[in-house]
Amino acid sequence: MSHEELADDEHYCISEVDLFRDLSRREIAAIGARAPLRSVSSGQVIYNPGQPVTVLFIVKRGRVRLYRTTSDGRSVTNAILEPGAVFGEMEPLGLRMRTNWADALEATELCLMSRNDVKDLLFTDPRIAQRIAESLSARIDELERRLTDLTCKTLGERLSGTLCSLASKRPAEPIRLTHQQLAALVGASRERTTTALSELVRHELIVVRRGKITIKDLDGLRRYADGVRSALS
């Protein structure tokens, strides 16, 4: 199989990853040959800070949750990573997991790269370095927004903003998160999160099914996130 055919293959690891969109098919093939594909099932732990590994993970399909555990056993979600995102313990790229865990929110496919491969293939290419910097910057911005919301907004407003953010990444698909997973994202208990979701249902902004949330009125949800409720009362 030629490099060009490889890059078009359905199972070729990085051919669909946005991180490499500036590269030619031949360049993608060269990287893909050294980035094995790993499939993980929903709920499977991908990274354990108690057993650190020096690997760069690239999300090809599915979604990955980065989270920390508190002393009382609760988990606090730091980020939900979509296809194209990178994570792992990879110092040359400025990536550190520290005490973060990672697990799969659904069936997920990951590309794995070693430290040497990262230094040889990614770190020296300014196009890839720029895409990685953009990805990490967006993740920092999202974390700062969530921290600001945590101190300045009500739970319902935080929840609405989180749903809007998740919907923007997959606008045509329902959001597949449990109430517990959403609670970890917005920094609240499962019970309070369920109550806040019921309020959004009452305003006909969302539809809730088991493990699935469908946005009915995205503009209305954005207004709710901004504290504008007069039109919804």
Side-chain angles (χ1 to χ4, degrees):
M1 182 179 289
S2 69
H3 287 326
E4 288 77 9
E5 291 171 327
L6 253 179
D8 284 334
D9 190 276
E10 171 68 21
H11 303 292
Y12 187 59
C13 185
I14 65 171
S15 61
E16 299 171 5
V17 175
D18 190 58
L19 185 67
F20 303 104
R21 67 177 182 267
D22 300 314
L23 276 61
S24 69
R25 290 180 175 180
R26 187 172 297 276
E27 290 170 320
I28 288 176
I31 295 174
R34 294 166 67 175
L37 183 66
R38 175 184 173 188
S39 297
V40 295
S41 57
S42 177
Q44 183 176 340
V45 172
I46 299 167
Y47 185 91
N48 179 346
Q51 300 173 330
V53 290
T54 305
V55 174
L56 178 71
F57 298 93
I58 306 169
V59 183
K60 177 179 172 65
R61 292 193 180 95
R63 292 178 303 163
V64 171
R65 177 177 68 128
L66 301 185
Y67 65 99
R68 296 185 180 188
T69 57
T70 63
S71 58
D72 59 1
R74 293 182 298 110
S75 66
V76 179
T77 301
N78 295 326
I80 292 180
L81 307 182
E82 302 279 341
V86 296
F87 68 98
E89 188 72 18
M90 192 57 61
E91 187 176 349
L93 295 176
L95 286 174
R96 299 296 301 273
M97 291 296 286
R98 303 186 189 278
T99 59
N100 280 312
W101 293 68
D103 66 7
L105 286 175
E106 58 194 58
T108 297
E109 292 182 345
L110 304 164
C111 307
L112 279 59
M113 297 192 74
S114 70
R115 179 187 178 94
N116 287 338
D117 287 340
V118 167
K119 292 177 70 175
D120 292 344
L121 299 173
L122 305 190
F123 194 58
T124 56
D125 191 312
R127 296 166 298 177
I128 300 175
Q130 179 181 347
R131 297 302 178 197
I132 291 174
E134 291 171 354
S135 174
L136 296 180
S137 177
R139 196 182 306 172
I140 291 172
D141 288 344
E142 175 64 16
L143 182 58
E144 289 178 345
R145 181 195 66 77
R146 288 179 53 217
L147 290 173
T148 299
D149 288 353
L150 193 61
T151 58
C152 301
K153 291 191 173 185
T154 67
L155 174 56
E157 291 167 354
R158 298 201 308 271
L159 184 59
S160 298
T162 297
L163 292 175
C164 287
S165 178
L166 293 170
S168 68
K169 298 169 184 174
R170 297 184 179 187
E173 300 180 21
I175 298 167
R176 300 183 183 278
L177 290 176
T178 65
H179 290 197
Q180 186 61 54
Q181 290 167 336
L182 275 173
L185 266 177
V186 298
S189 68
R190 182 188 184 282
E191 293 74 16
R192 291 184 62 215
T193 301
T194 297
T195 299
L197 283 170
S198 297
E199 180 71 7
L200 299 181
V201 170
R202 187 177 70 82
H203 288 302
E204 299 184 345
L205 299 174
I206 63 174
V207 174
V208 177
R209 297 286 186 267
R210 185 177 180 85
K212 183 170 65 175
I213 298 170
T214 302
I215 308 299
K216 287 185 64 179
D217 182 355
L218 185 57
D219 289 338
L221 200 63
R222 290 193 181 107
R223 290 195 296 272
Y224 196 102
D226 291 335
V228 179
R229 295 185 179 76
S230 57
L232 302 174
S233 301

